Amino acid sequence: MKKVYLSLLLPLFSYSMIFGESINITGTVLNAGGGPLKDVTISLSRVTGISTKTDSLGKFVLLSPSNVIQVSSLNPKTLNFGVKGRELIFYPASGNGNVTVFSAQGKQLANQGFSGISPQRLTLPCFAPGLNFLRVTINNTIYISPIVVTGNTVYLKTPGSTLKESAGPAKLIAASIADTLIAIKPGYSDKKIPITSYTLSGISISMDSIVTCNATTLKEAGACRSNHKMLIGVAISPGKLNDPNAAREFNYVTPENEMKWQNIEATEGVFNFSQSDAIVTWAQQNGIQVKGHCLVWYNQLPGWVTQAKGRERVLGIMKKHIETVIGHFGNKVQSWDVVNEAFITDNRDGNGNAQMRNCVFYSEIGPDYIDSAYTIARRYADSHNMKDLKLYYNEFTIEAENDKSRFARKTIKEWVDRKIPIDGIGLQTHLGPPYNLPTADMMRDNMQYYADLGLDVLISEWDINLCSGQISKEQQLKLYHDITIVCVNQPKCIAITFWGLNDSESWLNTYSTTLCNGANSQSLLFNNGQKKDTYYQVLNGLNGK
Ligand code: XIL
C-alpha cells in the first residue's frame, strides 16, 4: 500500500497565514477593445464562495480569506496522517474526536466522530472538488491540513510544495489543471481560464460583450445567437395543444405524462401510443422538437413491472420497452430521458444518505441497470437510422450544493468514465423554498462541472414555487432572470424547458409530494394565457439583457 504521510498539522492559536498553498491570484481584465473593465467578478470554479471585483484599472487580487487558515506557527503539535483513496489513516495516542472537512472559505462540508486508540482508519465523507481543509480534533487539540479533491481522489497539499498524490498514478498530477478562474460581468460573456496553481500573478483576461437580441418570443430569443442556440421548451399534454402560447413561444416540448410507462405499456406487450402520437404529430406540424420522457423511472410504472422478479426477466422487460418505444417514434423524437430520478436522499432538501434509489430496476437487475438502459437505447438507435438521437439523464434537487448534487457529480462522472453512452444531464430545476433554492452561482458551478465532463446540460422541468410567500415575487423574478443568463453563458446549456404553461395548470398545485405540498405556487410564466413578469425576466435573460 502506497501512503503519503504528512506532519505539520497545526493547532489553532493566532491568525497568521502560513500555508504556502493559499490562494493569491492577481491580474487585469480588459474588454475586447483593450480598455480596462471595472466591476468584473472574479472567482474560482472549485473553491466556492471566494470572489473579488476588478477596480477602475481592471485589476484584481484574489486571496483566500484570512479567516480560513487561522493557524499558529508557535510550537505546533503535529499528527501524522495518510490518505489512500478516500481512506484517512492516523495514529492518535488515545481519545475521542472528530474529523471535519471545510471548504476553502471555512464552510463546514462534512463532520464525522470517532473514538478509540490508534490506528484510526476512517472513510472520508463526501466533499466538494477543489481546495478544502481537513480538521481533526483529538482531546481538544485541533489539527488542520489543506487537502484537494479531484474526481474521486484526495490529494494532499504540503506547505510550499506542489500537489502530492495520495493514491493513483503520478502522471495525473503533472497534467492536472488545478482549477478554473471565472470572470463574470453583466453584459459580457463569462470567461473561464484554466489555471495550474493557486498562486499566479499578472494574468491578463479579455472579455467580449455579450450578443444582445431584441427577440419578442422565447424561442426566437433562445435561438438568436448563431454560435449558441438554446431550445426553449414546455411540458405539454394533448389538451394544451391549442393554447396559442404553446406553438408561438416554444420550439421544444416534453410530454408531461403521455410517454410514461403506465400510459404506454400498461399491460405487458400491449403498447398504446394514441396520446403521445397526438403530441408528436402536432409538434412535427409546428416545427417543434420533442424530448421523450421517460423510458426507465421508478414512478408511474404499472404493477406488472414493479412486481417483476429476477435479473434476466427485468432486463428483458426493460429492453423490450426501450426498443419498442424509441423505435415507434423514430426520428420524430430527437432526445430521450432514458433514466429519470435514479438517486435518492433521506430528506427532500437533497441531504442525508445520498445513494442509488431502490426501485425494481435497481433491486432486480443491479446498479448496472443504468449501463444497460443507455447501452440498449444507443445500440438500438444507431442500428435503426437514429444516430442523432440524444440520450439524457434527468434528476431533481441536484441544482444546489447538497449531498444529492455531490453524489450526482461523483456518480455521473463514473458513468462517463466507464463510457456509458450518455449525452446530457437534465437539471429538473423544480425550485421551491425551503427545500431547493440554489443560487445562480451554484447552477453555474453544476453546469460547468457537467460541461467539463463533455455533457450537454438542460434545465429540463423548470418552475419556481412561491410556496405561499416563502420567497418573494422579487426573489422569484431575479432567479428566473439570473439562471436564464447562466444558461445563455454556458455553451453546453442547450435547452430550457418549463414544466407547464399557465400557473393554474402546474403539477405543483395538486401533486401531493411536491415541494411545499401544493401550496399556491404561481410558479410559471403565464397566467390565464397572459404573460407574467416572470415571462419578461426569462425573455430579457435570453436576449442577453
Ligand atoms: C409530474 C406531472 O407533471 C404530473 O402531472 C404527474 O401527476 C406526476 O408527474 N419529475 C418528473 C416529471 O420527471 O415526470 C414529473 O411530472 C414531475 C417531477
Side-chain angles (χ1 to χ4, degrees):
M1 180 169 78
K2 184 181 161 203
K3 275 178 278 184
V4 177
Y5 282 97
L6 281 195
S7 50
L8 244 175
L9 294 156
L10 303 154
L12 212 73
F13 278 103
S14 70
Y15 293 166
S16 57
M17 304 239 321
I18 62 144
F19 288 117
E21 294 294 324
S22 56
I23 297 163
N24 187 345
I25 303 172
T26 65
T28 311
V29 184
L30 307 171
N31 64 32
L37 267 183
K38 193 179 171 229
D39 284 337
V40 178
T41 304
I42 305 288
S43 62
L44 289 161
S45 162
R46 288 180 170 164
V47 182
T48 49
I50 111 163
S51 71
T52 186
K53 285 199 175 208
T54 54
D55 63 16
S56 56
L57 297 173
K59 298 211 173 302
F60 69 87
V61 180
L62 188 68
L63 293 171
S64 38
S66 55
N67 64 350
V68 171
I69 316 168
Q70 297 175 345
V71 291
S72 164
S73 52
L74 291 173
N75 301 322
K77 293 183 186 175
T78 63
L79 171 73
N80 291 326
F81 76 99
V83 180
K84 184 173 191 307
R86 294 198 83 87
E87 190 179 44
L88 172 71
I89 308 143
F90 59 94
Y91 298 84
S94 68
N96 298 331
N98 65 342
V99 175
T100 316
V101 179
F102 291 88
S103 66
Q105 58 287 349
K107 185 179 160 218
Q108 183 176 315
L109 301 173
N111 184 32
Q112 182 170 333
F114 65 85
S115 62
I117 51 166
S118 62
Q120 287 290 335
R121 287 170 180 274
L122 294 177
T123 301
L124 283 169
C126 261
F127 47 91
L131 182 63
N132 294 271
F133 292 86
L134 179 70
R135 187 170 80 172
V136 179
T137 310
I138 308 170
N139 290 340
N140 298 323
T141 303
I142 298 169
Y143 304 89
I144 294 181
S145 174
I147 51 172
V148 171
V149 185
T150 307
N152 207 18
T153 308
V154 180
Y155 296 94
L156 309 180
K157 273 188 160 237
T158 50
S161 78
T162 51
L163 279 179
K164 269 202 178 176
E165 187 193 20
S166 54
K171 60 178 167 23
L172 271 178
I173 300 162
S176 79
I177 304 276
D179 209 324
T180 305
L181 198 65
I182 304 172
I184 293 171
K185 182 176 168 71
Y188 288 78
S189 297
D190 294 358
K191 197 80 189 211
K192 291 159 193 144
I193 301 109
I195 54 170
T196 50
S197 156
Y198 284 109
T199 48
L200 296 165
S201 58
I203 292 185
S204 179
I205 300 171
S206 134
M207 292 181 81
D208 299 318
S209 53
I210 209 170
V211 175
T212 54
C213 319
N214 295 312
T216 54
T217 62
L218 299 175
K219 67 180 179 189
E220 284 159 356
C224 74
R225 286 169 206 86
S226 57
N227 60 348
H228 178 213
K229 289 182 188 284
M230 288 163 283
L231 292 166
I232 308 299
V234 66
I236 201 83
S237 49
K240 294 304 301 170
L241 301 179
N242 291 327
D243 185 318
N245 287 323
R248 184 195 300 147
E249 296 287 342
F250 299 96
N251 53 7
Y252 198 35
V253 287
T254 306
E256 187 168 354
N257 288 297
E258 294 68 19
M259 291 183 177
K260 292 173 181 173
W261 200 312
Q262 69 178 18
N263 293 327
I264 282 205
E265 195 188 4
T267 305
E268 181 165 10
V270 181
F271 289 84
N272 177 351
F273 293 107
S274 56
Q275 297 282 296
S276 46
D277 279 345
I279 294 175
V280 172
T281 304
W282 167 86
Q284 281 206 296
Q285 286 162 353
N286 288 283
I288 293 173
Q289 291 198 27
V290 182
K291 174 148 77 87
H293 174 78
C294 46
L295 295 166
V296 180
W297 187 27
Y298 78 94
N299 203 2
Q300 294 184 264
L301 274 180
W304 70 267
V305 178
T306 54
Q307 285 147 26
K309 291 276 171 270
R311 178 175 161 95
E312 290 314 311
R313 163 87 176 126
V314 177
L315 254 181
I317 290 174
M318 187 175 86
K319 182 166 188 286
K320 171 98 186 289
H321 184 81
I322 292 175
E323 295 186 346
T324 309
V325 176
I326 290 185
H328 172 79
F329 295 105
N331 289 315
K332 296 177 197 161
V333 166
Q334 290 75 19
S335 49
W336 276 98
D337 289 329
V338 175
V339 178
N340 193 28
E341 303 181 350
F343 308 146
I344 192 167
T345 52
D346 288 351
N347 307 315
R348 59 199 321 200
D349 66 359
N351 282 310
N353 240 341
Q355 57 188 307
M356 295 298 290
R357 184 190 287 271
N358 193 13
C359 62
V360 62
F361 307 106
Y362 183 85
S363 68
E364 299 306 305
I365 299 173
D368 65 340
Y369 86 88
I370 304 280
D371 309 48
S372 299
Y374 286 92
T375 306
I376 290 167
R378 187 75 272 157
R379 283 203 187 129
Y380 187 88
D382 289 353
S383 58
H384 290 79
N385 192 28
M386 296 155 64
K387 282 202 186 310
D388 292 336
L389 191 70
K390 298 285 181 227
L391 306 181
Y392 299 141
Y393 175 72
N394 196 45
E395 185 59 87
F396 66 97
T397 312
I398 57 166
E399 298 82 12
E401 192 52 41
N402 55 34
D403 290 345
K404 195 175 182 186
S405 61
R406 284 188 282 276
F407 180 80
R409 291 195 292 259
K410 172 173 156 290
T411 307
I412 292 166
K413 179 173 188 309
E414 287 165 10
W415 295 350
V416 170
D417 285 347
R418 58 177 201 262
K419 308 263 183 299
I420 293 183
I422 180 170
D423 299 303
I425 302 298
L427 306 173
Q428 289 187 8
T429 322
H430 291 295
L431 305 189
Y435 307 109
N436 189 25
L437 211 56
T439 60
D441 286 345
M442 288 173 182
M443 292 286 288
R444 179 187 299 109
D445 290 350
N446 268 312
M447 283 192 188
Q448 188 61 45
Y449 179 87
Y450 294 115
D452 288 344
L453 292 181
L455 298 169
D456 285 339
V457 188
L458 300 84
I459 294 178
S460 57
E461 302 187 7
W462 204 3
D463 44 35
I464 307 180
N465 196 337
L466 286 182
C467 293
S468 297
Q470 286 192 61
I471 57 165
S472 65
K473 289 198 172 171
E474 288 66 36
Q475 280 176 286
Q476 187 197 41
L477 293 176
K478 186 163 164 44
L479 272 175
Y480 261 128
H481 177 263
D482 292 357
I483 292 175
T484 302
I485 288 278
V486 167
C487 184
V488 169
N489 264 317
Q490 172 53 261
K492 300 287 267 181
C493 183
I494 55 151
I496 301 179
T497 292
F498 299 89
W499 207 241
L501 278 165
N502 292 292
D503 278 355
S504 61
E505 296 146 11
S506 166
W507 73 304
L508 295 170
N509 303 329
T510 49
Y511 198 66
S512 63
T513 61
T514 56
L515 304 174
C516 314
N517 281 332
N520 186 10
S521 60
Q522 299 173 46
S523 55
L524 294 168
L525 306 192
F526 299 92
N527 190 15
N528 294 326
Q530 301 302 307
K531 296 168 183 169
K532 294 171 52 185
D533 291 347
T534 47
Y535 171 95
Y536 292 103
Q537 292 298 320
V538 172
L539 183 68
N540 281 347
L542 293 173
N543 275 326
K545 295 177 182 171

